[in-house]
Amino acid sequence: MSETIPFPPLKNDLILRAARGEKTERAPVWVMRQAGRYLPEFRAERVENDFFKICRTPELATKVTLQPIDRYEGLLDASIIFSDILVIPQAMGLQVEMIPGKGPHFPDPLVVPSDMSRLRKDVDVNKELKYVFEAITMTRHALRGRVPLIGFVGAPWTLMAYMIEGGGSKTLSKAKEWIFKHPKASHELLARITDVCVDFLVGQVRAGAQMLQVFESWGGELGPHDFELFSLPYLAQIATRVKAELGSEHAVPMSVFAKGSWYALDKLSVIGYEIVSLDWTHSPEHAKAVSKGRVTLQGNMDPNLLYGGDEAIVAAVERMVRGFGSTGRYIANLGHGILPTVPVEAMELFLKTVHRVGLEVAAEAKAVEIASDMHIVG
Ligand SMILES: Cc1c2[nH]c(c1CCC(=O)O)Cc1[nH]c(c(CCC(=O)O)c1C)Cc1[nH]c(c(CCC(=O)O)c1C)Cc1[nH]c(c(C)c1CCC(=O)O)C2
């Protein structure tokens, strides 16, 4: 069995150190959806294979996860396992298809609370999601210790919304009808999804994941009051329970990305995550003032800036890395997933500029430290 073969030693632990709050020689960087359609080699793979077939075939998931790591050799500080947040609804018994150019589609979504009886009870992740664990173990070997491997789940509210809407939606009216008209059933559904999220994340770490991210992509569709009722408690439970199950020896850094939930940054800083991932609506100054060094901040350039041309990209990265990077607790990323039509050169410029500015910021901070030690300043 592959689990008995030890993983190759890790050569670049920059992101893990930044997550733990240690000073790093430069800000680490990775990009949400870094394995995806903006890469010609991914599009070529998709001509041959259905999206979920890639997710379910460990060899293919490994191959695609490594595509950005190989293309941008030395520029990415983490890999993220190729999969999707919607594998949990599938594991719970719902059918999900990925329609090219349109996105996810549930032929039979949940309509009324009694439809929850269609969901599998006591989901055994070792059976239903074994293919993800196998992909993680295989990828971890194939990475040969170049960078850490990130595992992930969708957060309960985002997954519940997909399960009810049946796909993307502008208003989330159906999911919101549930939380407002059927709050009890909604909490029951959220709790059931949470249980699967916890087991799935624990399994991903046991399979080889070295960091975890929870995607609350539709957090910002809830106002602050409803976020506190229908999102935050489940996000908190996930962090607490995953850590309790893994134990301090095996726990890995956890990141939470609640897109659009700028109002929740203070609370997100104290619910057990080491990293809070930010979208582009946060300024570095404000985010640092609110989070007060309690977590590592991750993010947050507007992904559309990658369409802005070289000058705009360089200027935005300068602002971002200088803004967040001065305190050390920082991981560079985009504020949401990279978009499918971004030129590969724009991604390369983004990564190279993060490296350059990150090194400059760290060197400047070090010079100030040395100067203050020598009482030259202050
Ligand atoms: C909401 C969400 C989903 N999936 C995911 C989220 C959370 C992040 C976010 O908010 O964007 C997470 C996700 N999806 C994918 C990954 C793989 C790892 C990586 O980040 O590189 C990750 C981490 C691959 C993917 N997931 C999807 C693709 C493209 C599908 C294709 O090849 O046809 C990829 C590479 C499809 C997907 N999957 C989902 C949607 C809405 C879509 C369609 C829109 C789109 O295509 O971008 C659900």
Side-chain angles (χ1 to χ4, degrees), residues 191-225:
R192 284 175 66 176
I193 299 170
T194 302
D195 289 344
V196 185
C197 288
V198 170
D199 290 350
F200 189 30
L201 288 174
V202 168
Q204 291 186 53
V205 174
R206 294 202 171 124
Q210 291 151 294
M211 188 173 131
L212 298 170
Q213 180 150 311
V214 178
F215 286 96
E216 187 68 292
S217 302
W218 282 352
E221 297 302 317
L222 298 172
H225 175 82

Side-chain angles (χ1 to χ4, degrees), residues 170-305:
K170 279 212 163 35
T171 57
L172 295 197
S173 303
K174 295 181 185 130
K176 288 197 176 179
E177 183 178 333
W178 271 55
I179 60 171
F180 297 134
K181 197 187 263 179
H182 312 295
K184 200 162 160 272
S186 297
H187 281 296
E188 192 194 315
L189 179 57
L190 290 165
R192 284 175 66 176
I193 299 170
T194 302
D195 289 344
V196 185
C197 288
V198 170
D199 290 350
F200 189 30
L201 288 174
V202 168
Q204 291 186 53
V205 174
R206 294 202 171 124
Q210 291 151 294
M211 188 173 131
L212 298 170
Q213 180 150 311
V214 178
F215 286 96
E216 187 68 292
S217 302
W218 282 352
E221 297 302 317
L222 298 172
H225 175 82
D226 299 311
F227 185 84
E228 271 188 44
L229 287 176
F230 296 102
S231 172
L232 197 67
Y234 301 99
L235 294 174
Q237 254 194 59
I238 288 173
T240 311
R241 289 172 56 188
V242 166
K243 283 176 188 202
E245 283 201 33
L246 287 169
S248 53
E249 214 175 303
H250 299 287
V252 301
M254 293 180 72
S255 163
V256 60
F257 175 55
K259 183 170 180 292
S261 299
W262 56 270
Y263 49 78
L265 177 54
D266 185 37
K267 299 217 160 78
L268 289 170
S269 303
V270 294
I271 56 166
Y273 292 85
E274 285 75 15
I275 304 157
V276 177
S277 201
L278 307 172
D279 63 45
W280 61 94
T281 62
H282 294 265
S283 73
E285 296 68 33
H286 188 253
K288 283 192 297 190
V290 175
S291 61
K292 299 192 195 81
R294 293 171 294 184
V295 287
T296 296
L297 296 173
Q298 175 174 275
N300 73 339
M301 193 177 92
D302 183 341
N304 285 294
L305 261 153

Side-chain angles (χ1 to χ4, degrees), residues 31-37 42 46 51 80-86 98 100 103-104 152 158 162 215 217 257 336-337:
V31 167
M32 289 186 268
R33 298 278 179 103
Q34 63 190 24
R37 284 168 300 173
F42 176 78
R46 281 284 281 121
F51 176 77
I80 178 162
I81 190 66
F82 189 83
S83 181
D84 200 80
I85 63 167
L86 301 175
M98 197 59 75
F152 68 92
T158 295
Y162 270 111
F215 286 96
S217 302
F257 175 55
H336 199 193

